[in-house]
Amino acid sequence: MMADFVLADLLPALPELVLLGMACTVLILDLFLADDLRWITFALALAALGGAALATVLTLDPVPTLAFANTFVDDRLADVLKLMLDGAVAAVLIYSRDYLRARGMDRGEFYVLVLFATLGMMIMISASHFLTLYLGLELLSLCLYALVGLKRDDRLASEAAMKYFVLGALASGLLLYGMSLLYGVTGSLELARVAAALPGMGADPVLVFGLVFVVAGLAFKLGVVPFHMWIPDVYQGAPTAITLFIGSAPKLAAFAFFMRLLVDGLQALAADWQPMLALMAVLSIALGNVTAIAQTNIKRMLAYSTISHMGFVLLGFLAGSEQGYSAAFFYVAAYVLMSLGGFAMILLLSREGFEAEALDHFKGLNQRSPWHAFLMLLLMFSMAGVPPTVGFYAKLSVLKAALDAGFLWLVVFAVLMSVAGAFYYLRVVKLMYFDAPSEPAAPGANPGMQVLLSANGLAVLALGLMPQPLMALCATAIRQMV
């Protein structure tokens, strides 16, 4: 019986167990390492992510498997998201290596916190129970609060960490309260049982209140209006390596959180949550694009850009169909790729004692390094939705899904705002190609970062020329749930 229990419950969670074991190993081993041997911690962190990815591949199963009393699920969506997550976090570690060393931040705490945050995201991705979702979310959130404040002697970083913690705690409270109301109405915390109990309940006021609180908590985690206030301050205040992490990989977990809660558990209430998502999508696309135009700090500009992009992701969700969820998944995957490249470029231009955070620091980049200027051009075009980059197809797919669902006015509005929003992306291109350099030196980085950044930028173009494989992968993962 014990062997059956191990196979039934531990095997689906093998990626999480591998990552947990490796994170604990890194935590203990780093205590005995001298500063000049920190590369061992870095290598072990990469090995942990590789081990988790390998475990995910080894436990691939076309049939969804429930474990731990139905609180944990291993399905196709979880497998695809976990593999993407491992790749994104590994890229974050490679991009951040030189930046952390130059600022004396290359310490074990960074790697351990990143690994535990990744573990939290993986738990969120595989959760099929309110408590599992919440535990994964809190593990991720606590690690992110600590990461933002990692540079303890920096006033901006400390302020950003405090704001993030206070607002994050408020959002967690809203989410938890919403979950408790839903439990009170349905009598269960298991998503499948909640979904089975909802049809036929009618417009119960407690149910509606619970849904509103849950959607508010989700919106904060995704960073959409009116729960977006933390994003610009945290993005600007945190060290750029931390911003790179916050602005990329957690979006995959936030997407999974939406899928598990709204689709797995609350699909029967789609008519109630769709208007809320539509309103948040409109406000996010408008505020993100308009406010980004006024920014002179590229981290704040990308923060407002994130708000706008998450508004586009909501367009896919509010369609409430398999096509819409697939489009939202494709958009999130494309956004993570673009975000990794965009923030990595800021890291590349920064050096010891100098942070390339102002837009003016991109002036004349083409004269200093034509290849890096070309990569940044691809990334900015993709974020703006210019063909043939992947960003174009991401926007096109969510707009088509929303149009097919009957949201014509919303599609027209989103297209108009995209045209307006293209201004601030093209401004970066103009600074790189048509202005005189403000810095004489060409940017330099280690070979690993150079190769990865080149692959990152070219992938944005390649996936734009051939989007079908990624689209098919997203559709296959979603089809099993809907």
Side-chain angles (χ1 to χ4, degrees), residues 44-128:
L44 281 175
L46 285 180
L49 295 167
L54 180 62
T56 304
V57 172
L58 291 176
T59 56
L60 283 177
D61 190 342
V63 180
T65 308
L66 288 165
F68 303 114
N70 297 340
T71 59
F72 187 94
V73 62
D74 178 22
D75 57 10
R76 198 167 288 161
L77 178 67
D79 292 333
V80 174
L81 276 170
K82 285 175 190 175
L83 289 174
M84 287 183 177
L85 181 65
D86 291 330
V89 177
V92 168
L93 294 183
I94 295 171
Y95 282 145
S96 307
R97 177 85 170 127
D98 283 352
Y99 181 93
L100 295 171
R101 290 173 65 186
R103 287 153 187 79
M105 296 171 60
D106 188 30
R107 302 191 297 264
E109 296 96 300
F110 172 79
Y111 299 102
V112 171
L113 287 170
V114 166
L115 289 180
F116 276 109
T118 307
L119 179 63
M121 288 187 269
M122 291 173 74
I123 293 173
M124 287 168 65
I125 287 170
S126 274
S128 64

Side-chain angles (χ1 to χ4, degrees), residues 92-93 95-101 103 105 110 114 147 150 235 238-248 299 340 343-344 346-347 350 355 357:
V92 168
L93 294 183
Y95 282 145
S96 307
R97 177 85 170 127
D98 283 352
Y99 181 93
L100 295 171
R101 290 173 65 186
R103 287 153 187 79
M105 296 171 60
F110 172 79
V114 166
L147 280 169
L150 196 60
Y235 274 38
T240 307
I242 312 297
T243 310
L244 167 68
F245 181 57
I246 295 174
S248 56
K299 286 168 70 177
L340 283 170
F343 283 109
I346 302 174
L347 290 177
S350 300
E355 304 289 337
E357 295 183 1

Side-chain angles (χ1 to χ4, degrees), residues 25-64:
T25 304
V26 172
L27 175 64
I28 295 170
L29 190 63
D30 185 76
L31 295 173
F32 304 98
L33 290 177
D35 287 344
D36 57 344
L37 294 177
R38 198 68 67 200
W39 63 270
I40 296 177
T41 309
F42 170 72
L44 281 175
L46 285 180
L49 295 167
L54 180 62
T56 304
V57 172
L58 291 176
T59 56
L60 283 177
D61 190 342
V63 180

Side-chain angles (χ1 to χ4, degrees), residues 167-394:
L167 292 174
L170 179 65
S172 293
L174 291 176
L175 186 66
L176 203 56
Y177 187 56
M179 288 177 172
S180 68
L181 290 176
L182 292 176
Y183 172 70
V185 175
T186 62
S188 177
L189 291 172
E190 190 182 324
L191 290 175
R193 290 190 178 183
V194 170
L198 286 177
M201 278 195 169
D204 189 323
V206 180
L207 188 64
V208 175
F209 268 111
L211 180 65
V212 170
F213 280 113
V214 165
V215 171
L218 288 175
F220 177 89
K221 298 305 176 186
L222 201 59
V224 291
V225 178
F227 307 99
H228 65 287
M229 297 79 74
W230 61 276
I231 290 191
D233 290 339
V234 170
Y235 274 38
Q236 183 182 9
T240 307
I242 312 297
T243 310
L244 167 68
F245 181 57
I246 295 174
S248 56
K251 305 304 179 196
L252 292 168
F255 169 79
F257 206 93
F258 262 78
M259 286 298 296
R260 298 298 183 198
L261 259 180
L262 295 187
V263 181
D264 261 3
L266 305 174
Q267 180 69 31
L269 300 177
D272 296 305
W273 51 255
Q274 276 176 333
M276 287 189 271
L277 296 194
L279 180 62
M280 289 191 291
V282 168
L283 294 175
S284 301
I285 293 171
L287 186 139
N289 280 318
V290 171
T291 315
I293 294 174
Q295 304 305 314
T296 56
N297 182 295
I298 192 165
K299 286 168 70 177
R300 285 190 79 85
M301 188 195 89
L302 291 177
Y304 284 107
S305 157
T306 298
I307 296 168
S308 167
H309 283 293
M310 293 305 107
F312 273 94
V313 172
L314 291 187
L315 290 183
F317 276 106
L318 66 87
S321 62
E322 180 187 325
Q323 180 196 4
Y325 301 141
S326 299
F329 189 7
F330 181 80
Y331 200 107
V332 169
Y335 174 75
V336 169
L337 191 65
M338 297 184 293
S339 179
L340 283 170
F343 283 109
M345 195 60 73
I346 302 174
L347 290 177
L348 180 82
L349 297 183
S350 300
R351 58 181 182 273
E352 189 172 358
F354 173 73
E355 304 289 337
E357 295 183 1
L359 284 173
D360 286 348
H361 295 144
F362 284 79
K363 281 183 174 178
L365 180 60
N366 182 50
Q367 297 177 37
R368 297 157 53 198
S369 176
W371 177 242
H372 291 120
F374 174 67
L375 293 176
M376 190 63 172
L377 176 142
L378 288 177
L379 292 163
M380 290 296 103
F381 274 11
S382 187
M383 286 192 180
V386 176
T389 56
V390 69
F392 169 74
Y393 287 100

